[in-house]
Amino acid sequence: MSSVAVIGTGTVGSMALWRLAERGIPAVGFDAFAPGHDRGAAGGESRIFRTAYKEGPAYVPLLRAARGLWAELEESSGRRLLTPVGGVTLGPREHPKIRAVLASAHTHDLPVEVLTGEDALRRVPEHPLRDGEVMVVDREAGFIRPEPAVIAAATAAERAGARIARYTPVREVRPDATGVTVVTGDGEHRFTHAVLAPGPWAGTLLPDPMAGLVTTKAITSTWFPRRDDTLFEPDRCPIAIRVGEPAYSCFPSMDGVGVKVNLHVPWQDIASPESLHRSVPVNYLAQVAAAVAGTLPGLRPDPVRIATFCEAFTPDGHGLLGSYGPAGRTILATAFSGHGFKLAPVFGDIVADLVETGSTTRGIDHLAPNRPF
Ligand SMILES: Cc1cc2nc3c(=O)[nH]c(=O)nc-3n(C[C@H](O)[C@H](O)[C@H](O)COP(=O)(O)OP(=O)(O)OC[C@H]3O[C@@H](n4cnc5c(N)ncnc54)[C@H](O)[C@@H]3O)c2cc1C
């Protein structure tokens, strides 16, 4: 019988623990903090869900499976986690990312629409287009609330029999031919498998050479006040991704005050989450304020809230998901490179496949840890 240590009960680890426990596989989650904290990659109130995926059509079947599992988690927690308000990608008609969204939709026959001019403005008054721009509407998109989502998965896991060791950092993981030894401040613990889901701490927990491959970056979110309380309402305003110059993602207002804008700029490398500066350079703020002033007339261009989080990235922008090391005892589930939240439930389910049968029927070759970098 398998017994599994899940190291990291953040976004992906909490989902893996839930999916393992649902299958009756004994599992213990270890976290240096506790599910729902904002020191890693899961903070900041909202995450985008979308299916017409510019990162590649290979994700679309995974996104569809993730959507079903989000619904299952909502059902079991009794909480709304994914709000399906739709989503738009807007920018210059011939921009490669607009083309990539349309190609992904075309390959998988997704229900997208392309709007221009007055049609776009009537549908989404929050995001007026400039000359030569188009808006691609993804009706299957929406936003997820990250902190309740992680807590819901951890709670569902515990209810199904998993245990979570909170405030218990793992110092070392030693796989061998018959199992895995997990070392914490309390001593050594033995399991048949270990799932490594340390998110932005990947550089400190992954085995070499994977640890050296992953970089941790700081990502800043800024919230801007609305000029008009009828705009950016969370029950009808779609999530938006603007490509070109400026480039950012933008959410409906969750608290009725601020609208979150994440500017898409090259994010800064940091040595580890512990060295993350919560203060933000003034020139960054000037840059995001200029982007808001130039393209979002419904917002005042000076932020009322600023927060910085961190995330692990691979060189090709795709995560690491699969067995790694001796006898398939260690499963990596990390470094989702700024777009892993929406997929976390299916990543967790794939982890359970790998523990249960050693393989998965889901297409994850693009995430294989041993792919060439
Ligand atoms: C600001 C921002 C915006 C984003 N926007 C989106 C978006 O709109 N849509 C989307 O899909 N994705 C988005 N992402 C990406 C997504 O949030 C991440 O891919 C996802 O949260 C990563 O989850 P994780 O489980 O790898 O990391 P985390 O959620 O950080 O979990 C890692 C956990 O491991 C624990 N841990 C680490 N080391 C140890 C150890 N040694 N011992 C015990 N515990 C340990 C940590 O305490 C933590 O709880 C965004 C990311 C950021 C930062």
Side-chain angles (χ1 to χ4, degrees):
M1 178 69 166
S2 300
S3 63
V4 186
V6 176
I7 296 147
T9 58
T11 314
V12 178
S14 66
M15 300 287 170
L17 205 59
W18 169 46
R19 300 315 298 161
L20 287 161
E22 283 290 328
R23 297 188 194 194
I25 299 171
V28 180
F30 293 89
D31 205 291
F33 299 95
H37 74 85
D38 75 345
R39 304 289 91 182
E45 188 185 79
S46 51
R47 290 288 183 275
I48 289 175
F49 183 92
R50 56 198 157 87
T51 49
Y53 216 55
K54 61 181 170 10
E55 290 79 356
Y59 284 98
V60 176
L62 299 176
L63 289 159
R64 284 185 166 141
R67 200 184 174 96
L69 289 165
W70 281 116
E72 198 176 319
L73 189 57
E74 285 188 328
E75 173 99 21
S76 87
S77 65
R79 302 194 73 171
R80 165 136 281 180
L81 303 172
L82 196 176
T83 304
V85 277
V88 298
T89 305
L90 54 145
R93 181 183 288 278
E94 295 304 328
H95 193 281
K97 288 183 176 166
I98 296 278
R99 288 213 298 264
V101 168
L102 291 172
S104 180
H106 180 72
T107 306
H108 290 281
D109 203 17
L110 298 171
V112 298
E113 284 172 85
V114 180
L115 302 179
T116 54
E118 287 299 312
D119 288 344
L121 192 63
R122 247 193 317 277
R123 183 85 72 86
V124 190
E126 291 84 0
H127 293 282
L129 297 179
R130 298 177 294 184
D131 283 351
E133 291 186 337
V134 297
M135 175 181 282
V136 183
V137 182
D138 174 356
R139 285 201 295 272
E140 294 188 357
F143 63 84
I144 307 165
R145 293 187 302 145
E147 299 89 348
V150 172
I151 292 167
T155 306
E158 288 180 304
R159 207 183 297 130
R163 199 165 66 73
I164 297 180
R166 291 165 166 80
Y167 308 107
T168 308
V170 168
R171 295 178 182 166
E172 198 185 345
V173 179
R174 288 199 302 263
D176 55 50
T178 59
V180 184
T181 302
V182 172
V183 184
T184 68
D186 304 334
E188 299 196 349
H189 313 266
R190 196 72 187 151
F191 298 90
T192 62
H193 297 80
V195 177
L196 305 191
W201 285 265
T204 61
L205 196 74
L206 293 197
D208 284 328
M210 302 314 282
L213 193 80
V214 173
T215 50
T216 299
K217 295 181 190 289
I219 304 180
T220 296
S221 298
T222 34
W223 284 257
F224 294 85
R226 298 182 290 176
R227 292 187 193 278
D228 172 345
D229 283 351
T230 66
L231 297 179
F232 296 99
E233 282 294 284
D235 58 345
R236 54 153 301 278
C237 176
I239 58 92
I241 297 176
R242 174 170 271 284
V243 301
E245 188 50 52
Y248 54 76
S249 52
C250 181
F251 295 76
S253 180
M254 305 287 155
D255 62 0
V257 180
V259 168
K260 187 169 88 170
V261 177
N262 285 352
L263 198 60
H264 294 173
V265 287
W267 290 304
Q268 230 185 345
D269 287 1
I270 54 172
S272 73
E274 280 69 35
S275 61
L276 178 67
H277 282 290
R278 299 273 162 183
S279 59
V280 174
V282 166
N283 61 351
Y284 176 85
L285 292 180
Q287 201 182 351
V288 65
V292 169
T295 57
L296 291 164
L299 300 181
R300 294 184 188 280
D302 303 311
V304 289
R305 188 174 150 201
I306 303 161
T308 303
F309 307 96
C310 50
E311 162 77 319
F313 286 75
T314 62
D316 65 8
H318 302 286
L320 301 173
L321 181 63
S323 299
Y324 189 80
R329 298 290 171 183
T330 309
I331 294 162
L332 306 190
T334 192
F336 291 108
S337 305
H339 59 113
F341 205 97
K342 61 184 84 59
L343 289 148
V346 71
F347 290 158
D349 207 48
I350 289 168
V351 165
D353 288 346
L354 295 174
V355 168
E356 205 170 21
T357 67
S359 64
T360 182
T361 54
R362 269 77 168 250
I364 54 165
D365 288 353
H366 58 301
L367 305 172
N370 59 0
R371 68 188 183 270
F373 282 100

